[in-house]
């Protein structure tokens, strides 16, 4: 049986023997059979693949890879953070740099992480290796080629681009092993920290950077030797963003990579140059940056995410408050959940026109006096008591009118008084 099909498992052979010879073989012989199959393969089996350990001279090879880090259980302000980690490492010394990536394995994430690593290291390796990143390689072509942007990136830094063979992750072993050690170090640091909760993304990024700094301290001596062998950096960085054209519609929004963003109404009708970075985007008009915000990424639950800033829409809503009730972007613009809850409450208790006017007045109050959080707390308390908001009372509470100042009448003295003072002096 093994001669005909060398990959048969011992349990399969045993089941066949039991079928051919009932009551002769029982389960107790499985371990013996496994040893004999292993012995047969050593004597008569096919040739097995041999792995060749590689020597990595200083400054020759740098490697990049992404890894999914959702298993760390990180949350930002109570919301789970699905993300990846980009890591670059030098094969000889093991020096590394890591960066939090919110989207997928995009070209922006690759070029931003790689350039950060090279400038932090202060030098460039001769060769840069990745796996089959679509941001770097045209894997669908008959002859796989570097993408134009990745080729230009490597040429800018004077690196030779390479990749491991498809499905052969062991060829990228220097980075694969360090991905595991990075995640283990982060897990241990989180255990010491006692929580996976962070106040904001910047705090988590600082945590990752500090963990990487401690890992690099272990290879400081080897890194000092390798740094001297690296090629010098170019005079400047190259671009680490993707630029697309986007037209702001009459609704005050534009679309970029399946996400919808609102902008100030003065930009309606303009065509913008949108620069997409890994974590944020910038909108430029005629060489002037006119808008910047956090970049959104689609998910399985929400393939068309929206970032609608209520302050962008408020001036028009104040002129046309009745449009609020059936506005298609209404639910995406509330600054806090208490405001959405208040709208649900008043829309059920008041006529539509009155409910729209009250909601717009509440948003106007929050914007004009800058009391978004404070007003949200007051609205939440009113909802718990099943009371409707009183806009006049809330204005008096959060934006009281200044008291009238007394009128002061100043009597100017006669000029002769100064003459008397001068004569007395």
């Amino acid at each position: 049986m093994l001669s005909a099909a060398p990959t048969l498992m011992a349990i399969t052979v045993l089941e066949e023997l039991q079928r051919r010879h009932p009551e002769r073989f029982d389960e107790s012989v499985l371990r013996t059979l496994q040893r004999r199959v292993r012995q047969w393969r050593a004597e008569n089996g096919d040739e097995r693949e041999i792995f060749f350990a590689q020597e990595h001279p200083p400054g020759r090879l740098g490697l990049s890879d992404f890894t999914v880090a959702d298993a760390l259980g990180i949350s930002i302000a109570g919301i789970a953070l699905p993300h990846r980690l980009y890591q670059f490492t030098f094969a000889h010394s093991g020096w590394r740099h890591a960066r939090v990536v919110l989207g997928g394995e995009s070209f922006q994430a690759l070029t931003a992480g790689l350039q950060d690593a090279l400038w932090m290291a202060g030098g460039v390796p001769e060769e840069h290796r990745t796996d089959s990143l679509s941001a770097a390689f045209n894997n669908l072509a008959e002859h796989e080629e570097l993408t134009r942007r990745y080729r230009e990136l490597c040429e800018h830094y004077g690196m030779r681009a390479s990749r491991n063979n498809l499905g052969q992750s062991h060829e990228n072993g220097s980075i694969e092993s360090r991905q595991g050690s990075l995640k283990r170090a982060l897990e241990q640091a989180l255990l010491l920290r006692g929580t996976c909760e962070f106040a904001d993304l910047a705090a988590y990024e600082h945590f990752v950077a500090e963990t990487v700094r401690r890992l690099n301290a272990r290879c400081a001596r080897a890194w000092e030797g390798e740094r001297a062998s690296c090629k010098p950096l170019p005079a400047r960085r190259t671009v680490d963003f993707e630029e697309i054209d986007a037209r702001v519609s009459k609704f005050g929004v534009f679309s970029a990579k399946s996400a919808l963003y609102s902008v100030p109404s003065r930009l309606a009708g303009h065509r913008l140059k949108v620069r997409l970075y890994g974590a944020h985007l910038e909108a430029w008009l005629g060489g002037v940056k006119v808008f910047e915000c956090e970049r959104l990424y689609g998910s399985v639950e929400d393939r068309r995410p929206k970032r609608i800033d209520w302050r962008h829409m408020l001036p028009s809503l104040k002129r046309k408050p009745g449009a609020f009730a059936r506005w298609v972007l209404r639910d995406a613009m509330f600054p806090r959940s208490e405001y959405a809850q208040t709208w649900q409450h008043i829309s059920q208790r008041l006529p539509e026109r009155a409910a729209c006017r009250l909601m717009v007045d509440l948003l106007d109050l929050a914007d004009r006096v800058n009391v978004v959080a404070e007003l949200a707390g007051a609205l939440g308390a009113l909802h718990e008591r099943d009371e409707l908001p009183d806009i006049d009372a809330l204005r008096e509470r959060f934006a009281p009118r200044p008291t009238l100042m007394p009128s002061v009448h100043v009597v100017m003295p006669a000029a002769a008084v100064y003459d008397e003072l001068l004569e007395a002096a």
Side-chain angles (χ1 to χ4, degrees):
M1 283 189 285
L2 290 174
S3 297
T7 59
L8 281 175
M9 297 175 60
I11 183 65
T12 306
V13 175
L14 177 59
E15 290 172 350
E16 179 63 15
L17 290 174
Q18 290 172 336
R19 188 188 65 81
R20 294 183 185 183
H21 307 281
E23 300 181 358
R24 181 174 177 183
F25 299 102
D26 58 28
E27 301 297 330
S28 63
V29 303
L30 176 59
R31 188 72 187 95
T32 301
L33 182 57
Q34 287 174 333
R35 288 196 300 268
R36 294 189 179 182
V37 169
R38 181 179 176 85
Q39 179 71 22
W40 182 90
R41 286 197 175 116
E43 297 176 5
N44 306 285
D46 295 334
E47 294 293 330
R48 303 185 66 179
E49 184 177 4
I50 299 297
F51 296 92
F52 300 94
Q54 298 292 295
E55 180 182 359
H56 298 293
R60 191 191 71 83
L61 180 62
L63 305 102
S64 290
D65 196 19
F66 293 87
T67 183
V68 177
D70 296 351
L72 295 175
I74 303 300
S75 60
I76 304 295
I79 301 175
L81 180 70
H83 67 291
R84 287 173 166 82
L85 292 171
Y86 163 83
Q87 185 172 197
F88 171 88
T89 186
F90 280 93
H92 174 78
S93 65
W95 184 92
R96 69 180 84 193
H97 169 73
R99 177 187 176 96
V100 178
V101 177
L102 298 182
E105 299 178 4
S106 64
F107 176 76
Q108 290 76 31
L110 173 63
T111 186
L114 177 57
Q115 292 191 91
D116 284 350
L118 296 179
W119 285 87
M120 189 173 293
V124 179
E126 295 179 14
E127 178 184 348
H128 178 241
R129 176 172 296 176
T130 69
D131 58 10
S132 303
L133 292 176
S134 59
F137 291 91
N138 183 10
N139 299 309
L140 298 179
E142 182 178 356
H143 302 288
E144 294 165 0
E145 298 177 351
L146 299 177
T147 61
R148 176 185 57 80
R149 291 182 298 174
Y150 180 60
R151 182 177 65 251
E152 292 172 352
L153 173 66
C154 291
E155 289 175 352
H156 179 80
Y157 285 93
M159 297 183 299
R160 184 174 72 258
S162 68
R163 52 159 288 179
N164 57 291
N165 293 312
L166 282 171
Q168 304 298 319
S169 61
H170 64 269
E171 295 181 359
N172 231 16
S174 296
I175 187 68
E176 294 289 347
S177 63
R178 290 185 177 99
Q179 294 286 34
S181 64
L182 173 61
K183 288 200 277 192
R184 285 192 297 272
L186 290 171
E187 289 170 352
Q188 293 297 303
L190 289 169
L191 289 173
L192 288 176
R193 188 172 181 266
T195 178
C196 298
E197 171 78 14
F198 292 86
D200 51 35
L201 181 61
Y204 176 53
E205 290 175 334
H206 177 75
F207 171 80
V208 172
E210 182 62 22
T211 303
V212 171
R213 186 193 64 79
R214 290 196 297 269
L215 290 173
N216 284 336
R218 302 175 186 175
C219 60
R221 181 173 298 178
W223 169 235
E224 287 300 322
E226 181 163 35
R227 180 187 291 178
S229 302
C230 292
K231 298 165 61 177
L233 288 163
R236 57 174 178 82
R237 291 172 63 123
T238 186
V239 296
D240 53 1
F241 57 82
E242 179 183 358
E243 189 171 78
I244 63 173
D245 290 325
R247 184 176 182 82
V248 182
S249 72
K250 62 182 179 181
F251 305 111
V253 296
F254 70 87
S255 180
K257 297 293 185 181
S258 300
L260 198 66
Y261 302 87
S262 69
V263 293
S265 59
R266 61 180 179 273
L267 297 176
H270 287 280
R271 185 171 294 278
L272 305 176
K273 288 287 186 181
V274 179
R275 295 178 179 178
L276 298 168
Y277 294 85
H280 74 285
L281 63 79
E282 298 174 356
W284 293 72
L285 179 63
V288 177
K289 184 169 69 173
V290 293
F291 178 70
E292 181 177 354
C293 72
E294 176 189 359
R295 182 178 176 181
L296 301 180
Y297 291 93
S299 63
V300 176
E301 297 79 13
D302 187 5
R303 297 186 180 275
R304 295 272 301 175
K306 304 176 184 65
R307 185 188 183 278
I308 308 301
D309 191 330
W310 58 285
R311 291 185 174 91
H312 296 158
M313 306 300 178
L314 191 56
S316 296
L317 280 174
K318 289 166 65 177
R319 293 191 296 270
K320 296 177 286 187
F324 189 83
R326 282 174 290 279
W327 180 30
V328 296
L329 299 176
R330 181 196 63 214
D331 294 339
M333 64 87 67
F334 291 113
R336 285 174 175 257
S337 60
E338 291 86 353
Y339 292 85
Q341 190 179 58
T342 297
W343 167 249
Q344 293 296 327
H345 190 204
I346 64 177
S347 63
Q348 295 170 2
R349 300 276 295 274
L350 295 177
E352 182 179 292
R353 186 180 182 87
C356 291
R357 169 56 66 184
L358 177 55
M359 194 68 236
V360 172
D361 286 343
L362 290 171
L363 293 170
D364 179 54
L365 175 62
D367 177 51
R368 187 161 41 84
V369 195
N370 194 23
V371 288
V372 177
E374 294 85 348
L375 182 56
L379 294 176
L382 289 171
H383 185 268
E384 290 179 359
R385 299 196 299 268
D386 196 26
E387 297 178 9
L388 292 175
D390 184 337
I391 188 61
D392 293 327
L394 291 171
R395 283 171 178 162
E396 186 63 29
R397 176 178 172 182
F398 293 105
R401 295 179 180 178
T403 57
L404 295 176
M405 299 298 294
S407 178
V408 179
H409 180 64
V410 179
V411 179
M412 298 297 295
V417 176
Y418 295 99
D419 295 334
E420 295 175 2
L421 288 173
L422 291 173
E423 290 175 359

